[in-house]
Amino acid sequence: MATEIEPHTGDKKSGMMKKLGVFVIVAAIMVVAYTQYGDLLSLESLAKQEAQLRSFQAKNPVLVYGAAFLVYVVVTGLSLPGAAVLTLVYGWYFGLAPGLLLVSFASTAGATMAFLLSRFLFREAIQKRFGDRLKSFNQSLEKEGPFFLFTLRLIPAVPFFIINAVMGLTPIRTRTFWWVSQLGMLAGTAVFVYAGSSVPDLQTLADKGIGAVFTPSQLTQIVIAFVLLGAFPLVVRFGMKFFGRAGAEPAV
């Protein structure tokens, strides 16, 4: 009996050590990236280099697009602060259409990266500790399907990184997570990229923030619109189930 248990225990320890090693590496990358390069990506720092950035983009378009994509994926994939600022800057730097295309695919790639890190590193440990809570969450996901994730993506009150982390603990397929996130985040991405593309210069954006484009009342309307948009799939699904049951009842 002992000879059967020991190898199994050794495999589990080896697996935990590998995951711990990956976690340490990821944590180290996050700390180094934030401490060493966080200031370089601030609006104040970028505003001082506005002319140089424009000139560099004209001379090296492929390099600029590739580097911008990679930076956005790393920031969102490792849940570093600054994704909203980057979205505004990309909108200003690349323009509405190119910026929207770049940020849309980069944000989804970063979200998928965070999703996979959560699934690989934390799923077993959290499943054991919070199994009952995750069970009800998984049941909702199974019941609603992609609508559940799509709705979460449309509600601005639910933080981006929390959705990625929690979904990594569920049985949802990576492919499904990717395409639903791609569609669900598109509306919010478009608003922020448009905001950035509408700013005349980075110094204005650095001084006024999102207020350089939208007034407080407009921002309130946008938030309400997103909440209603997020609730719409659930309302449609509820309506289909309700009328489906009503249609299935025998006439009296």
Side-chain angles (χ1 to χ4, degrees), residues 2-248:
T3 56
E4 294 178 358
I5 296 176
E6 289 177 0
H8 179 68
T9 304
D11 291 342
K12 290 186 67 175
K13 288 182 177 179
S14 177
M16 289 298 295
M17 290 301 294
K18 288 180 180 178
K19 292 183 178 182
L20 181 60
V22 173
F23 176 76
V24 171
I25 292 173
V26 171
I29 292 174
M30 291 174 64
V31 172
V32 171
Y34 186 68
T35 56
Q36 297 296 320
Y37 304 106
D39 292 339
L40 296 177
L41 297 176
S42 67
L43 281 175
E44 291 77 9
S45 176
L46 293 173
K48 296 177 182 178
Q49 308 172 49
E50 188 165 340
Q52 294 91 323
L53 288 171
R54 289 294 188 190
S55 176
F56 188 77
Q57 180 193 16
K59 295 177 181 178
N60 308 277
V62 176
L63 176 61
V64 168
Y65 275 98
F69 185 89
L70 181 60
V71 167
Y72 204 101
V73 170
V74 171
V75 169
T76 54
L78 299 181
S79 302
L80 298 174
V85 172
L86 274 183
T87 305
L88 293 171
V89 171
Y90 283 12
W92 162 82
Y93 192 52
F94 297 108
L96 180 57
L100 178 58
L101 187 65
L102 175 64
V103 174
S104 178
F105 282 94
S107 61
T108 305
T112 305
M113 175 181 169
F115 165 85
L116 292 174
L117 284 174
S118 173
R119 172 165 290 182
F120 178 72
L121 293 175
F122 309 119
R123 183 176 182 179
E124 293 181 4
I126 297 180
Q127 190 75 40
K128 289 181 180 179
R129 186 165 185 177
F130 303 102
D132 294 338
R133 298 180 186 177
L134 287 176
K135 184 178 180 181
S136 60
F137 188 89
N138 289 338
Q139 288 174 347
S140 298
L141 181 62
E142 292 176 3
K143 189 176 181 181
E144 301 296 336
F147 278 104
F148 188 68
L149 173 58
F150 184 71
T151 302
L152 291 177
R153 287 297 189 198
L154 291 173
I155 300 177
V158 183
F160 177 86
F161 70 94
I162 290 181
I163 298 175
N164 300 334
V166 172
M167 283 295 165
L169 308 175
T170 70
I172 188 172
R173 293 182 178 181
T174 304
R175 180 176 60 185
T176 302
F177 176 85
W178 181 86
W179 72 259
V180 173
S181 297
Q182 185 77 52
L183 293 177
M185 294 189 297
L186 185 59
T189 299
V191 170
F192 274 86
V193 173
Y194 169 76
S197 67
S198 301
V199 174
D201 55 74
L202 277 186
Q203 192 59 54
T204 301
L205 187 59
D207 293 338
K208 298 183 179 181
I210 195 69
V213 182
F214 299 114
T215 64
S217 61
Q218 288 175 321
L219 283 175
T220 302
Q221 292 172 1
I222 290 172
V223 171
I224 294 174
F226 276 132
V227 172
L228 294 176
L229 191 60
F232 179 72
L234 293 180
V235 173
V236 172
R237 194 168 183 82
F238 174 79
M240 292 175 63
K241 288 183 178 180
F242 177 79
F243 289 110
R245 288 196 300 266

